Amino acid sequence: MSILVIAEHDNGSLKTATLNTVTAAAAIGGDVDILVAGYGCDAAAQEAAKAAGVGKVIVADNACYEHQLPEAVAPLVAEVGKGYTHILAAATTTGKNLMPRVAALLDVDQISDIIEVKGEDTFVRPIYAGNAMATVQTSDPIKVVTVRTTAFAEAAKDGSATVESNAHTVEQSKAQFVGEQLSKSERPELTAASVVISGGRGMQNGENFALLEKVADKLGAAIGASRAAVDAGFVPNDYQVGQTGKIVAPDLYIAVGISGAIQHLAGMKDSKVIVAINKDEEAPIFQVADYGLVADLFKALPELEEAL
């Protein structure tokens, strides 16, 4: 067996999601290679070469891959992936945008968001917002798989893979890169933070998220939100944790003013320790919380900040 992992990166550095995906690839067994497609991405490629268990890093360094548009990268992955039994990518926004196109080009099914490897052709994935687990087996000659990164540990960085270039280029006119606006924060990135504190509809407005920020500053935490808070315009949508947002599994997750709809629980219930603060003692969030505080958040948060 041979497995191709699609690297996620910003041309300058490798995203940790790639290391989680390498661990999933190792669980399948066989030779593991990484494909790095970008422009001026040598630093990311060298970082990928340090991932434990990786034999080879294939670098497609060309201007057509600079912004990693899926219309350009998918044909590359399909071409390179023809020589592999498995193609894996993280189930992130990037991976979800890319891999269905790859599967279509290879005329195979995609298996999404796996959390466990049962065998070379058998995987476990959550369904019904994580309330049930489906064991899926495929007979496709090439398995196209996305990996839920919170379910797998990061691969160590003590490897020494060889690095080789791939000159394949893709010319396409279906899409062009116009621009991007990146949110900047001194706090940790939401999916990589060891502590996350999230607010819900109970925060009442966006200004009250300042209460969360004060606690987050004391804990070195990232700030998240429920979909209800995002839809109400309290915070930007890149704060959203849940089935249609970001999947997180920090060491500590603090849910404030969040009722605990199953769509939100699907995005955070794998956290090591869950703390819930809600004035409604019947709120579903308390069913998954390790520690629950039935209290008015506008009193509890200042007290928590003072105690910290």
Side-chain angles (χ1 to χ4, degrees), residues 15-272:
K15 303 291 186 183
T16 56
T18 306
L19 299 176
N20 301 110
T21 308
V22 168
T23 299
I28 297 172
D31 299 327
V32 179
D33 296 342
I34 296 180
L35 172 64
V36 179
Y39 186 51
C41 57
D42 183 65
Q46 294 301 324
E47 200 173 341
K50 296 178 182 178
V54 174
K56 179 172 63 177
V57 174
I58 303 168
V59 185
D61 193 330
N62 192 282
C64 65
Y65 306 126
E66 179 177 5
H67 302 292
Q68 297 162 58
L69 297 178
E71 291 83 1
V73 178
L76 168 70
V77 174
E79 180 64 29
V80 176
K82 287 179 181 177
Y84 292 84
T85 58
H86 298 72
I87 304 174
L88 270 62
T92 57
T93 302
T94 301
K96 290 175 181 178
N97 198 15
L98 171 67
M99 295 299 271
R101 303 167 192 263
V102 173
L105 289 169
L106 294 173
D107 196 23
V108 298
D109 292 326
Q110 177 186 304
I111 299 177
S112 305
D113 214 21
I114 68 162
I115 61 169
E116 185 182 350
V117 176
K118 289 283 191 180
E120 63 181 77
D121 62 353
T122 309
F123 309 92
V124 178
R125 62 180 299 270
I127 58 174
Y128 302 130
N131 284 298
M133 298 297 155
T135 300
V136 182
Q137 188 173 36
T138 175
S139 59
D140 284 330
I142 301 176
K143 283 73 173 171
V144 176
V145 181
T146 61
V147 176
R148 179 171 291 197
T149 56
T150 56
F152 297 90
E154 293 178 22
K157 298 180 180 179
D158 56 2
S160 56
T162 59
V163 179
E164 67 176 43
S165 296
N166 183 294
H168 185 82
T169 59
V170 176
E171 299 298 330
Q172 58 84 30
S173 58
K174 295 177 181 177
Q176 63 177 353
F177 180 80
V178 176
E180 62 185 358
Q181 291 180 317
L182 300 176
S183 57
K184 295 182 179 180
S185 174
E186 295 180 357
R187 295 192 178 87
E189 203 277 321
L190 189 56
T191 56
S194 59
V195 181
V196 174
I197 180 167
S198 290
R201 197 196 307 272
M203 298 302 296
Q204 297 183 1
N205 59 55
E207 293 177 359
N208 288 333
F209 267 74
L211 296 172
L212 295 184
E213 293 172 0
K214 292 177 181 179
V215 175
D217 289 340
K218 295 287 181 68
L219 294 172
I223 293 180
S226 68
R227 178 168 181 169
V230 171
D231 286 350
F234 296 171
V235 289
N237 61 9
D238 59 344
Y239 280 45
Q240 185 178 325
V241 173
Q243 185 179 17
T244 54
K246 294 179 179 177
I247 307 294
V248 300
D251 295 329
L252 172 62
Y253 187 88
I254 306 174
V256 183
I258 294 175
S259 63
I262 59 171
Q263 290 87 352
H264 185 76
L265 300 184
M268 46 63 74
K269 67 182 181 181
D270 290 331
S271 304
K272 306 291 188 301

